[in-house]
Coordinates of all heavy atoms in Angstrom, one line a residue:
G142 N 15.0 -5.8 8.5 CA 15.8 -5.1 7.5 C 15.9 -3.6 7.5 O 16.7 -3.1 6.9
F143 N 14.9 -3.0 8.2 CA 15.0 -1.5 8.4 C 16.1 -1.1 9.4 O 16.2 -1.8 10.4 CB 13.7 -1.0 8.7 CG 12.7 -0.9 7.4 CD1 11.7 -1.8 7.4 CD2 12.9 0.1 6.5 CE1 10.9 -1.9 6.3 CE2 12.1 0.1 5.4 CZ 11.1 -0.8 5.2
D144 N 16.8 0.0 9.2 CA 17.7 0.5 10.2 C 17.1 1.6 11.0 O 17.6 1.8 12.1 CB 19.0 1.1 9.4 CG 19.7 0.2 8.6 OD1 20.3 -0.7 9.0 OD2 19.5 0.2 7.3
E145 N 16.2 2.2 10.5 CA 15.5 3.3 11.3 C 14.0 3.3 11.1 O 13.6 2.8 10.0 CB 16.0 4.7 10.7 CG 17.5 5.0 10.9 CD 17.9 6.3 10.6 OE1 17.0 7.3 10.4 OE2 19.1 6.5 10.1
W146 N 13.2 3.8 12.1 CA 11.7 3.8 12.0 C 11.4 5.1 12.7 O 11.7 5.3 13.9 CB 11.2 2.6 12.6 CG 9.6 2.5 12.5 CD1 8.8 3.1 11.7 CD2 8.9 1.6 13.3 NE1 7.5 2.8 12.0 CE2 7.6 1.9 12.9 CE3 9.1 0.8 14.4 CZ2 6.4 1.3 13.6 CZ3 8.0 0.1 15.0 CH2 6.8 0.4 14.6
F147 N 10.4 5.8 12.1 CA 9.7 6.8 12.9 C 8.3 6.6 12.4 O 8.0 6.9 11.3 CB 10.1 8.3 12.6 CG 9.3 9.3 13.3 CD1 9.5 9.5 14.8 CD2 8.5 10.2 12.7 CE1 8.8 10.3 15.5 CE2 7.6 11.0 13.5 CZ 7.8 11.1 14.9
G148 N 7.4 6.2 13.2 CA 6.0 6.1 12.9 C 5.3 5.0 13.8 O 5.8 4.8 15.0
S149 N 4.2 4.5 13.3 CA 3.4 3.6 14.3 C 3.2 2.2 13.6 O 3.2 2.1 12.4 CB 2.1 4.3 14.5 OG 1.3 4.3 13.4
P150 N 2.9 1.3 14.5 CA 2.7 -0.1 14.0 C 1.2 -0.4 13.4 O 1.0 -1.2 12.7 CB 2.9 -1.1 15.2 CG 2.7 -0.1 16.5 CD 3.0 1.2 16.0
N151 N 0.4 0.5 14.0 CA -1.1 0.3 13.6 C -1.6 1.7 13.1 O -0.9 2.7 13.1 CB -2.0 -0.2 14.6 CG -1.4 -1.2 15.6 OD1 -0.5 -1.1 16.3 ND2 -1.7 -2.5 15.3
C152 N -2.9 1.7 12.7 CA -3.5 2.9 12.3 C -3.8 3.8 13.4 O -3.9 3.4 14.6 CB -4.8 2.6 11.6 SG -4.7 3.2 10.0
H153 N -4.0 5.2 13.2 CA -4.3 6.1 14.2 C -5.6 6.2 14.8 O -6.4 7.2 14.9 CB -3.8 7.5 13.8 CG -4.5 8.0 12.6 ND1 -4.0 7.6 11.3 CD2 -5.6 8.9 12.4 CE1 -4.9 8.1 10.5 NE2 -5.7 8.9 10.9
F154 N -6.2 5.0 15.0 CA -7.6 4.9 15.6 C -7.4 5.4 17.1 O -6.3 5.3 17.6 CB -8.2 3.5 15.5 CG -8.5 3.0 14.1 CD1 -8.1 1.7 13.8 CD2 -9.0 3.9 13.2 CE1 -8.3 1.3 12.4 CE2 -9.2 3.5 11.9 CZ -8.9 2.2 11.5

Side-chain angles (χ1 to χ4, degrees):
F143 284 101
D144 300 292
E145 297 182 21
W146 181 23
F147 180 72
S149 65
N151 318 75
C152 241
H153 57 280
F154 295 136

